[in-house]
Amino acid sequence: MKRLTQLTLLPLLGALALSYSATSLADEETEKLYQQHCAECHGKDRLGLMGPALLPENLKRLRKKAAFEVIKNGRPATQMLAFKDKLNDDQIQALADYAYIPLKEIPKWGMEEIRNSQIVYHKPGELPDKPLYNADIWNLFMVVELGDHHATLLNGDTFEPIHRLPTRFALHGGPKWAEEGRYIYFASRDGWISKFDAFNLKYVAEIRAGINTRNLAVSHDGRYVIVANYLPHTLTVLDARDLTPLKVIEAKGEDGTSSRVSAVYTADPRQTFIAALKDVKEVWEISYEEEPPAGFSGWVHDYNEESGDAHKEEQFAVKRIQTQDYLDDFFLTQSYEQIIGTTRGGLSQVVDLDLKRAVADVELPGMPHLSSGITWKYKDTTVLATPNIKEGEVTIIDTRDWKIIKRIKTNGPGFFMRSHEQSPYAWVDVFFGPNRDQMHVIDKEKLEIVKTLKPAPGKTSAHVEFTKDGQYALVSIWDKEGALVIYDAKTLKEIKRLPMKKPSGKYNVHNKLTRSAGTSH
Ligand code: DHE
């Protein structure tokens, strides 16, 4: 059995012995510049790490001129820095060109490689079914600490840490709880999926489902895990029990165009997963019913070298829904009937999953961060509120007719928004710009900011999550020497502060598993 404490010491992609060969076309100086300025985030082999893979296969939607601009001036809403003060225009151009030079060989990461990467630490049924500690399981939080690649399991009643565990390098997207808080699944940007037993405080299995991964989703019955990848262009379906791979679905449009997968979510009542493709104007619905309903076509493509029985092949069948543009980010309505998606080009559209077509356009400014959108009851309707990663605005949309009913000006672009059914307030951060240490509190009835908190002056405050009963709100201070600041969600007074290493996100069992309208799912 491998020791988990060694996880963070692994030199990641290099240690995984992926076979690639550096290009011979790039000159030595560019290669040196790349290793000096880019490799830490994009991987020494350009396969992606914290940042995306820099390969022509993944840059189809980015023109070379735009790549130059991104390197020079940075990219909003990402960790991509501006290099104009460090590099001259010739150097920037050389790096932009470098990213478009194909690798001699892109590592294959199909069923066989995925299967060979599987590590089972504890077989299903091997560990006791009783937690090792006393706590209300439904009020547990998992806090991801990006600062040193750890996570803390937190008691949501006492706010005492129960256990701190090492994670894979650079987790991204929310880890997903399953089986009433017994297990949680993490995804790292470099493709590792880890299943952790929160009762026994032990990892039970891990597998590398992709080379450059976006996020994962777990089916409502806890049976399947699906992983969305940028590289290769695939979705990987795993058996949730021990992460055995079941199917690799190649992401290809109807016309055969290969695509990265932006993200995948679960749609409980439909017994499906919903995935957005990044380079093809399609949204996919993937059935996990054993007999997929009409409209789902059984076989997209599979790397599975083994023949497999026909019944199995039919599962995870795909329904394609054409969209008017590429969807970069989307929100799934609480009824799971519609999605509202947005593109970097600015068009936002509402797509009905049953009608299989767009049913409305929404004029949203800048770049709404819809995957962080939340809903609540407002008067006789339900509103959707979305932060915006380019504009200082929270936009409130009536979900009956998808008309904007209020634009709330904020002190800068925001990333995450949260509320709770029992709370009168919605919280939104000011993630970008000089006011990044601020956190707005919005009155859900008045649709206006009623308070702006500054939990740690000069340090970014971001990402809120509520306790099970909505009584307390937990705010992250995104700093290596950061903290979790706990507020009384009614009086808005701080009640406790726990030091943490860049706690990026926190995930409450009850709010996630009951699919609270105030949080992401
Ligand atoms: Fe995220 C969630 C996409 C950059 C931190 N991010 C998500 C999800 C998507 C997404 C689709 C929902 C997945 C889920 O939870 O299952 N993120 C993107 C991007 O496209 C973007 C803009 C560019 C990129 O680099 O991929 C991006 N994200 C970032 C960051 O730069 C952040 C701030 C730091 C980091 O970790 O890289 C970041 N993203 C997060 C976090 C979540 C997330 C903490 C989970 C939110 C939650 O509470 O559910």
Side-chain angles (χ1 to χ4, degrees):
M1 191 186 301
K2 298 193 184 161
R3 288 199 41 211
L4 262 139
T5 43
Q6 291 172 346
L7 286 182
T8 51
L9 302 175
L10 287 175
L12 301 156
L13 295 169
L16 293 159
L18 293 171
S19 67
Y20 76 96
S21 37
T23 173
S24 56
L25 298 175
D27 63 36
E28 253 175 56
E29 201 196 332
T30 312
E31 172 67 27
K32 239 164 95 190
L33 280 179
Y34 177 86
Q35 295 302 337
Q36 191 183 344
H37 298 286
C38 321
E40 190 183 338
C41 290
H42 296 279
K44 64 180 172 49
D45 36 26
R46 291 197 280 146
L47 292 172
L49 219 50
M50 281 294 272
L54 295 180
L55 302 173
E57 293 79 357
N58 275 21
L59 295 173
K60 281 184 197 142
R61 285 178 54 201
L62 187 75
R63 282 176 294 117
K64 272 196 192 169
K65 214 172 140 204
F68 177 91
E69 283 305 313
V70 170
I71 301 171
K72 187 165 182 171
N73 298 314
R75 192 176 181 81
T78 71
Q79 309 286 317
M80 177 68 194
L81 305 168
F83 282 87
K84 57 175 181 250
D85 297 335
K86 288 191 181 147
L87 303 172
N88 63 37
D89 280 4
D90 289 343
Q91 292 172 313
I92 292 175
Q93 190 59 56
L95 283 172
D97 293 341
Y98 183 53
Y100 289 85
I101 299 172
L103 290 184
K104 276 195 186 139
E105 208 181 296
I106 293 211
K108 181 172 176 285
W109 205 254
M111 183 56 101
E112 196 186 333
E113 291 77 12
I114 295 171
R115 196 183 290 127
N116 290 341
S117 72
Q118 184 184 18
I119 310 164
V120 178
Y121 302 103
H122 296 282
K123 292 205 182 81
E126 192 181 299
L127 295 172
D129 293 328
K130 213 173 155 304
L132 293 175
Y133 47 89
N134 268 333
D136 173 4
I137 300 300
W138 284 92
N139 202 20
L140 292 178
F141 285 85
M142 187 62 83
V143 186
V144 172
E145 292 181 73
L146 265 191
D148 63 352
H149 312 287
H150 276 66
T152 293
L153 184 68
L154 187 74
N155 183 324
D157 292 332
T158 60
F159 302 119
E160 297 291 338
I162 295 170
H163 183 66
R164 195 163 190 267
L165 48 136
T167 68
R168 289 278 169 182
F169 182 84
L171 298 185
H172 180 241
K176 302 293 177 332
W177 285 104
E179 296 188 42
E180 306 191 334
R182 165 89 189 248
Y183 298 109
I184 188 163
Y185 298 85
F186 299 98
S188 76
R189 288 210 186 240
D190 61 345
W192 279 100
I193 306 301
S194 311
K195 177 177 182 178
F196 184 77
D197 181 337
F199 282 11
N200 292 288
L201 308 177
K202 284 189 166 96
Y203 280 101
V204 289
E206 291 195 292
I207 195 160
R208 194 168 188 206
I211 294 172
N212 193 215
T213 287
R214 302 296 294 157
N215 78 326
L216 68 81
V218 182
S219 61
H220 77 291
D221 53 12
R223 291 172 68 194
Y224 305 112
V225 175
I226 187 163
V227 184
N229 294 319
Y230 263 7
L231 203 70
H233 296 175
T234 55
L235 287 140
T236 306
V237 185
L238 309 169
D239 183 330
R241 285 172 300 184
D242 60 359
L243 304 182
T244 295
L246 298 176
K247 186 166 178 175
V248 178
I249 306 170
E250 197 174 349
K252 272 192 175 170
E254 204 147 44
D255 65 356
T257 308
S258 179
S259 175
R260 292 167 292 170
V261 184
S262 298
V264 64
Y265 301 100
T266 178
D268 302 350
R270 306 174 74 88
Q271 299 195 45
T272 60
F273 297 114
I274 312 291
L277 302 193
K278 206 169 173 83
D279 307 302
V280 165
K281 293 176 187 170
E282 288 179 20
V283 168
W284 282 10
E285 183 162 19
I286 303 157
S287 170
Y288 54 80
E289 282 186 69
E290 277 167 27
E291 303 278 342
F296 287 79
S297 82
W299 202 238
V300 179
H301 183 87
D302 198 308
Y303 288 120
N304 195 347
E305 298 87 8
E306 290 171 13
S307 54
D309 66 335
H311 182 72
K312 236 194 181 129
E313 288 186 352
E314 279 304 319
Q315 210 182 357
F316 314 114
V318 173
K319 181 167 91 178
R320 295 170 191 273
I321 298 162
Q322 310 296 331
T323 54
Q324 289 161 17
D325 208 337
Y326 308 101
L327 293 193
D328 282 313
D329 191 13
F330 73 92
F331 175 84
L332 196 51
T333 58
Q334 284 289 111
S335 65
Y336 297 99
E337 284 159 2
Q338 294 177 323
I339 62 166
I340 168 165
T342 189
T343 67
R344 282 193 184 264
L347 174 75
S348 294
Q349 53 191 300
V350 181
V351 177
D352 189 292
L353 295 173
D354 295 314
L355 298 175
K356 288 178 63 177
R357 60 177 169 80
V359 290
D361 287 340
V362 191
E363 271 179 51
L364 289 170
M367 199 190 296
H369 194 213
L370 286 164
S371 55
S372 194
I374 56 169
T375 59
W376 65 82
K377 295 254 173 282
Y378 174 75
K379 298 187 175 158
D380 58 346
T381 187
T382 298
V383 290
L384 164 68
T386 173
N388 197 300
I389 39 194
K390 260 196 187 158
E391 305 269 330
E393 170 174 321
V394 166
T395 317
I396 312 282
I397 304 155
D398 187 336
T399 58
R400 275 180 312 200
D401 56 8
W402 299 103
K403 296 267 184 290
I404 294 171
I405 57 173
K406 184 93 190 249
R407 296 177 187 277
I408 302 171
K409 290 284 152 234
T410 60
N411 289 344
F415 214 96
F416 301 108
M417 187 155 188
R418 286 289 184 273
S419 187
H420 188 282
E421 281 77 356
Q422 304 305 323
S423 171
Y425 304 125
W427 298 51
V428 66
D429 53 50
V430 183
F431 199 84
F432 304 98
N435 300 318
R436 63 194 172 80
D437 54 2
Q438 297 182 6
M439 176 71 67
H440 292 306
V441 181
I442 293 170
D443 185 309
K444 283 158 60 177
E445 281 300 312
K446 294 186 188 144
L447 304 187
E448 58 189 44
I449 295 170
V450 288
K451 188 148 189 174
T452 298
L453 302 163
K454 213 185 241 197
K459 293 183 176 179
T460 303
S461 69
H463 197 283
V464 179
E465 187 56 89
F466 285 76
T467 47
K468 171 180 125 173
D469 56 8
Q471 221 183 317
Y472 299 99
L474 285 62
V475 175
S476 290
I477 305 302
W478 277 52
D479 193 89
K480 196 95 198 242
E481 300 312 319
L484 206 60
V485 185
I486 297 147
Y487 286 90
D488 181 309
K490 271 206 188 93
T491 63
L492 308 180
K493 295 266 178 293
E494 179 179 336
I495 62 142
K496 189 165 181 177
R497 192 172 281 238
L498 295 166
M500 290 212 180
K501 304 275 182 205
K502 199 177 181 188
S504 56
K506 56 210 81 69
Y507 307 88
N508 177 275
V509 174
H510 171 272
N511 297 346
K512 295 296 175 187
L513 288 181
T514 59
R515 314 292 191 216
S516 160
T519 193
S520 59
H521 304 154

